[in-house]
Amino acid sequence: MSAARRCLRWLSRRRAIPVLVWAVSLLIAVNVVGIHIAGGIEGWQRWMAAQSGAFLAWRLLLYAVTAWGWLWMRRRLRAREPERAAGQRLLRAEVAAIVAVIVLEAGLLMQAR
């Protein structure tokens, strides 16, 4: 069985796919309602640009909560699996997450200019 097939089976067993579909649908609905309330796409874009500081604060709060959760999970994992290999896997995941956040925020910064 391929890795992709195993991953899809795991996702469907965990009910992650319905949750992802629900979350994406909710995001689309919020955008459609926001565009309607703002009077069009241009108004929606102006409102989002005006609220960029609030969106930055929201993202920073999400990053802080995610970092706290990660540290909590990391302590539990290190207690359960003290081997060096587990620490290396965690380090790779941490570096990948930090690089992803930096790329995301750099893209948003470049888009704002």
Side-chain angles (χ1 to χ4, degrees):
M1 183 183 300
S2 72
R5 192 174 243 166
R6 280 193 310 261
C7 183
L8 285 175
R9 287 184 70 201
W10 182 84
L11 284 173
S12 64
R13 264 189 262 136
R14 302 285 186 223
R15 298 186 186 167
I17 291 175
V19 170
L20 289 173
V21 168
W22 180 84
V24 170
S25 299
L26 181 64
L27 291 173
I28 290 171
V30 166
N31 275 295
V32 168
V33 169
I35 289 169
H36 179 70
I37 290 173
I41 293 175
E42 296 81 18
W44 180 242
Q45 288 174 336
R46 280 193 306 275
W47 180 83
M48 286 184 14
Q51 303 303 321
S52 64
F55 288 133
L56 174 62
W58 173 249
R59 287 192 316 275
L60 291 175
L61 178 65
L62 285 177
Y63 295 149
V65 169
T66 302
W68 177 82
W70 181 265
L71 292 173
W72 175 80
M73 184 271 316
R74 186 181 207 284
R75 279 193 304 271
R76 290 187 59 185
L77 184 66
R78 294 297 290 169
R80 189 178 65 202
E81 296 181 29
E83 303 91 38
R84 180 176 162 89
Q88 289 176 336
R89 286 193 312 267
L90 277 172
L91 183 61
R92 282 194 301 267
E94 290 166 350
V95 168
I98 291 169
V99 167
V101 167
I102 290 171
V103 168
L104 174 69
E105 290 299 325
L108 290 172
L109 183 63
M110 300 292 260
Q111 191 178 30
R113 290 184 174 195

